[in-house]
Structure formats: C-alpha cells, structure tokens
Amino acid sequence: MVIKVFLASSSGSTAIKKKQQDVVGFLEALKVDYTQLDIACNEENRMWMRQNVPEEKKPANGIPLPPQIFNENGYCGDYETFFDAKEDNMVYAFLGLPPPPGSKEVPVEERNGNDEATEGETVGDEAPAEEDQAVEETDEVTEDTQAQAEEEEEQEEEDLQSEEEEELRQLEEQDEQGSEEEEEAEVQEEEETE
C-alpha cells in the first residue's frame, strides 16, 4: 500500500508549508513508503483530492487544504488528525499500516496477550533495545525537523525585520537629502534677492 500525500508546491502560506514539511519529514523518519502529489501544478491531483476528502472532513468553505493524506484511495486525514495520531503514537493506525515489530504502537493484545514465547524471546519480553533505540531516533529526527522549522521561521522574521530597517533607513536618508536640497534652494533664493 502506498501512502499519498497531497501537497501544494507553490503555496504562499507559511503555515501550510510547515505542515507539509512536518508530515513529509515524519514519514521519511519512519521510513514509510509514500508519494507526494502536487495539487498546485496538477489539476487532476487537485480535483481527485477534493472529491475524495469526505464531506464531514471538509472545512466550511468546502475546499480542503493541503496536506491531505490517503492510503491508496482511502482517506486517512488532514494535518490536524495526523498531528493527533503522532502525539498519541498512533501514526501507523492513522495511515492504515501495520506497525513495525517493537513499535510503541503495537496493539496491546499483541504485546501482552501472547503467552507463548517465540524463538529467541521469553514470555513478557518488551521490544528489543535496538527497536526502542530506532523509535527514540525517530523521535529525535522529528524534534530536529521541528527545531529546524522554528529556526527557519526565526530567520525569516529576522530577514523581514532587516528589510524593514533598511527601507526605513533609506527613507530617512531621502528625507535628509530633501531637507538639504530645500535649505540649498532657500540659500540660493536669498543670494539672488540680495
């Protein structure tokens, strides 16, 4: 099964871009097989996405915004439901995929209800340390992705502030030049009248 993530490559909204980056970054960290489908450049993708988002999941205006996530043709959800699933360690269930062995998301009955030990395990064993480490690394990658997005946002704000300061400085210089020119014109008028 292939996960489809509908994105807008040329979105003017910083919020949408960040949500898209969050979804894609998390799927990559989990090594989930997915396909990005651009709704900005491909009308077929846009129409398919809009038609396949359930009516009860569409916003008041009826037009769902990216990112929207599907498992083949089945609707999984939007960013908010993805985020909730991520917070609850239920991303695989959200995506309709079986969780990998040792995942925190393995259903309780599979982890605790199996009284028979398989080869190399003893009854009641938790996930092997390697798998726990992989889950922790995934969490670290997600935190790194979020930290990077926050740094980029701060840099954008600093750049915008610098641009505004530069514009203000240029305006002040223009005002000063205008004042100097006015003074020179007044001096010339006085000299001419004398």
Side-chain angles (χ1 to χ4, degrees):
M1 289 189 224
V2 175
I3 301 303
K4 297 178 182 177
V5 181
F6 287 83
L7 307 169
S9 62
S10 60
S11 174
S13 168
T14 306
I16 288 176
K17 288 179 184 177
K18 287 181 181 178
K19 289 176 181 179
Q20 292 175 162
Q21 288 174 341
D22 190 23
V23 170
V24 169
F26 198 76
L27 293 177
E28 287 177 357
L30 292 178
K31 296 182 173 79
V32 171
D33 187 25
Y34 72 97
T35 301
Q36 293 184 32
L37 299 166
D38 190 1
I39 65 169
C41 299
N42 187 317
E43 186 66 25
E44 287 179 24
N45 287 344
R46 181 179 328 168
M47 296 310 296
W48 191 93
M49 180 194 80
R50 288 182 178 176
Q51 291 169 355
N52 288 284
V53 171
E55 287 299 319
E56 65 273 7
K57 301 293 184 177
K58 290 183 180 178
N61 68 3
I63 301 173
L65 297 174
Q68 295 290 331
I69 305 159
F70 291 82
N71 184 333
E72 293 294 333
N73 294 335
Y75 183 70
C76 297
D78 59 5
Y79 176 78
E80 282 71 26
T81 51
F82 172 82
F83 182 80
D84 291 343
K86 186 171 89 169
E87 290 295 307
D88 296 337
N89 288 324
M90 298 297 292
V91 173
Y92 290 100
F94 167 80
L95 296 171
L97 299 173
S103 169
K104 292 179 182 178
E105 194 174 321
V106 173
V108 174
E109 57 273 3
E110 286 184 25
R111 270 190 281 147
N112 299 331
N114 185 0
D115 289 339
E116 296 179 21
T118 58
E119 188 177 320
E121 291 183 337
T122 58
V123 175
D125 273 356
E126 290 297 317
E130 290 177 13
E131 292 171 355
D132 285 342
Q133 183 178 359
V135 170
E136 288 175 11
E137 288 173 1
T138 300
D139 291 343
E140 289 173 11
V141 168
T142 301
E143 290 172 5
D144 289 345
T145 303
Q146 289 172 342
Q148 182 180 2
E150 289 172 5
E151 287 176 17
E152 289 173 1
E153 182 179 351
E154 288 174 11
Q155 184 62 43
E156 287 175 13
E157 288 176 10
E158 288 175 13
D159 291 347
L160 182 60
Q161 187 175 5
S162 295
E163 287 175 20
E164 290 173 350
E165 289 172 356
E166 179 64 21
E167 287 177 21
L168 182 59
R169 188 187 60 74
Q170 288 175 354
L171 289 172
E172 288 173 350
E173 284 179 3
Q174 288 173 354
D175 286 345
E176 287 176 14
Q177 287 176 351
S179 297
E180 289 174 6
E181 289 173 3
E182 286 177 17
E183 287 177 18
E184 288 176 16
E186 288 176 14
V187 169
Q188 282 182 351
E189 281 182 31
E190 287 178 13
E191 289 176 356
E192 290 175 5
T193 56
E194 291 178 0

